[in-house]
């Protein structure tokens, strides 16, 4: 009940904070960055935001938002509709189940957890895309994107921490 | 939701996940069927997001060009040297092109030949690109308001970059040559053999359906065949980069990994609905240049 009260106290903008960061992350993946490393695939920013908020504030990130974020990503990327929703929802469920083992741990542990989630997401994406196109796609492209995603996570995690602090300070 | 009792809400939460997972899977399956409604939804969303992406892309492009300018300072001497040589070479070509153009004009008049050429170009800025591991497409900031139509060819720099697949009122999507779904009818310029250029997500698409005893060689130029009537014939696509067993790969002439602008080739009926202000401005300098390009390619 206490949680409900806190939720009511923080304003609508603050409550929408995590959702907004997820939308920003979805868009970040499609913005042309002109960076050499991002030329073939950009990091899966949405996965980072979903991971972060599932660990720290799952109460502010309903299933429907995760689903909608995936749809938005697919529409903007021109991907088969539902593919990112599926991957993000399953990642969300995976993290939610393992939350107590990860939250409040050292950053290295959290980063390692993210590595596992990214690897699972990459393999799942590869599997679904291969099924969709009816051919075995090159798994390396998916793993490369996974590696890129894991490498960029500390930066995004830091930015999200700043967002979370601002939200909590106002609450 | 707030009026539901706690157990009810908990149950709803528990069911939400499997339900949404099923919906996602269902959407993927439905997507195989190319449903018109989903297409409409996509283009509408592109239109909505286009201004946002435009706003984001501007500072990023500025920063990227700033970095480039900084790098350029270190290579200014070599670059200058190279450009001088290139300039001298290009002046010769320009001279040749002008002579050929007037000769062509005369011959056409003699034959009363009506050229079935390009009517104009619509230039669009790349505002988003697919970040996925298995998608190769870009979103550009021009749509049917500017005269873009589905199926039109998009040029990036000197060669074909891809084909327009989705058109909204102010944004369109271009499927790049390297995408898994891209198939473009092409001709090998020297041997006149026909083939289909098929993307497979690598940076160099494959040539399919080449004749069995093909005389194709590494370095051969590949141009659009124009069959199907959507792409104009003779647009430069790229050069054969490797022949390995039966697998022939083509290095696209357009730099597909960092496209900043694309030119949509307006050919045929599309030009009829273009506002007058767009056609001459886009057509005059570039149409003339494009006319000599294939010639340069063959002689190099």
């Amino acid at each position: 009940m206490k949680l409900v009260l806190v939720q009511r106290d923080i304003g609508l903008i603050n409550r929408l904070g995590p959702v907004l960061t997820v939308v920003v992350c979805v868009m970040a993946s499609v913005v042309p960055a002109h960076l050499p490393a991002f030329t073939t695939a950009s990091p899966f920013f949405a996965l980072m935001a979903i991971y972060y908020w599932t660990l720290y504030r799952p109460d502010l990130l309903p299933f429907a938002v995760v689903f909608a974020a995936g749809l938005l990503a697919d529409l903007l990327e021109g991907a088969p509709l539902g593919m990112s929703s599926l991957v993000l929802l399953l990642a969300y469920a995976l993290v939610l189940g393992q939350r107590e083992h990860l939250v409040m741990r050292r950053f290295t542990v959290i980063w390692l957890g993210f590595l596992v989630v990214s690897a699972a997401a990459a393999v799942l994406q590869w599997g679904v895309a291969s099924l969709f196109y009816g051919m075995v796609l090159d798994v390396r492209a998916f793993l490369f994107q996974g590696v890129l995603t894991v490498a960029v996570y500390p930066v995004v995690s830091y930015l999200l921490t700043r967002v979370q602090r601002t939200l909590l300070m106002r609450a | 939701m707030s009026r539901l009792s706690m157990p009810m809400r908990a149950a709803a939460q528990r069911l939400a996940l499997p339900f949404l997972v099923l919906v996602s899977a269902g959407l993927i399956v439905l997507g195989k069927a190319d449903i018109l409604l989903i297409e409409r939804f996509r283009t509408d969303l592109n239109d909505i997001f286009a201004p946002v992406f435009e706003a984001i892309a501007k500072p990023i492009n500025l920063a990227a060009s700033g970095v480039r300018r900084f790098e350029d300072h270190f290579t200014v001497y070599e670059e200058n040297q190279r450009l001088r040589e290139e300039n001298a070479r290009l002046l010769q070509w320009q001279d040749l092109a002008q002579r050929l153009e007037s000769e062509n004009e005369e011959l056409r008049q003699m034959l009363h030949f009506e050229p079935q050429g390009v009517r104009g170009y619509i230039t669009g800025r790349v505002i988003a690109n697919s970040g996925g591991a298995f998608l190769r497409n870009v979103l550009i900031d021009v749509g049917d308001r500017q005269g873009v139509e589905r199926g039109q060819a998009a040029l990036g720099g000197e060669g074909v970059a891809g084909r327009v697949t989705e058109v909204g009122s102010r944004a369109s999507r271009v499927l790049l040559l390297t995408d898994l779904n891209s198939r473009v009818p092409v001709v090998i310029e020297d041997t006149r053999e026909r083939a289909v250029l098929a993307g497979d997500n690598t940076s160099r698409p494959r040539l399919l359906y080449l004749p069995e005893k093909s005389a194709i060689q590494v370095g051969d130029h590949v141009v659009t065949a124009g069959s199907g009537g959507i792409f104009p014939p003779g647009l430069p696509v790229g050069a054969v980069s490797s022949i390995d067993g039966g697998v022939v790969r083509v290095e696209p002439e357009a730099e597909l990994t960092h496209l900043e602008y694309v030119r949509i080739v307006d050919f045929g009926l599309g030009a009829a609905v273009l506002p007058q202000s767009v056609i001459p401005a886009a057509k005059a300098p570039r149409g003339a240049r494009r006319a000599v390009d294939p010639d340069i390619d063959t002689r190099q």
Side-chain angles (χ1 to χ4, degrees), chain A residues 61-79:
Chain A
L61 193 71
F63 287 121
V65 170
V66 180
F67 175 72
L71 284 192
L72 183 66
D74 287 336
L75 289 168
L76 291 180
E77 292 191 354

Side-chain angles (χ1 to χ4, degrees), chain B residues 254-269:
Chain B
E255 285 200 49
L256 300 179
T257 47
H258 23 66
L259 282 174
E260 274 179 60
Y261 292 92
V262 295
R263 281 178 296 143
I264 306 299
V265 183
D266 192 356
F267 141 93
L269 297 170

Side-chain angles (χ1 to χ4, degrees), chain B residues 94-216:
Chain B
Q94 191 193 28
D95 183 44
L96 179 72
Q98 276 165 352
R99 269 188 289 132
L100 286 176
E101 200 184 5
S102 55
E103 189 183 301
N104 244 329
E105 193 57 42
E106 276 173 39
L107 292 173
R108 272 183 194 153
Q109 274 174 4
M110 279 190 208
L111 292 169
H112 304 290
F113 174 71
E114 197 63 40
Q116 189 207 13
V118 174
R119 301 212 183 171
Y121 293 96
I122 305 156
T123 305
R125 181 206 292 272
V126 173
I127 50 172
N129 57 12
S130 59
F134 59 99
L135 300 160
R136 302 285 181 268
N137 64 56
V138 295
L139 204 64
I140 54 172
D141 67 348
V142 285
D144 59 16
R145 272 191 218 166
Q146 284 81 15
V148 179
E149 279 175 41
R150 238 182 109 138
Q152 282 173 334
L155 302 177
E158 292 308 305
V160 174
R163 172 171 53 94
V164 177
T165 50
E166 290 169 19
V167 183
S169 61
R170 57 186 298 170
S172 322
R173 193 178 298 281
V174 174
L175 189 77
L176 300 180
L177 292 178
T178 43
D179 191 277
L180 209 58
N181 289 315
S182 170
R183 298 284 182 279
V184 175
V186 292
V187 168
I188 317 302
E189 209 172 43
D190 286 342
T191 62
R192 305 312 296 171
E193 286 164 350
R194 280 170 185 272
V196 169
L197 189 71
D200 59 357
N201 282 356
T202 65
S203 60
R204 295 175 302 144
R206 287 180 58 175
L207 279 183
L208 301 181
Y209 315 122
L210 269 172
E212 268 198 16
K213 284 176 190 158
S214 169
I216 194 165

Side-chain angles (χ1 to χ4, degrees), chain A residues 144-167:
Chain A
F144 175 73
Q145 191 188 25
V147 169
L148 210 57
T149 307
V150 173
V152 177
Y153 181 70
V155 180
V156 175
S157 167
Y158 170 77
L159 293 175
L160 291 175
T161 313
R162 306 291 306 197
V163 173
Q164 195 188 3
R165 286 223 183 105
T166 324
L167 292 186

Side-chain angles (χ1 to χ4, degrees), chain B residues 220-247:
Chain B
D220 280 357
H221 283 272
V222 177
V223 299
T224 52
S227 42
I230 299 172
F231 274 29
L235 293 177
V237 173
V240 174
S241 66
S242 68
I243 303 170
D244 189 12
V247 182

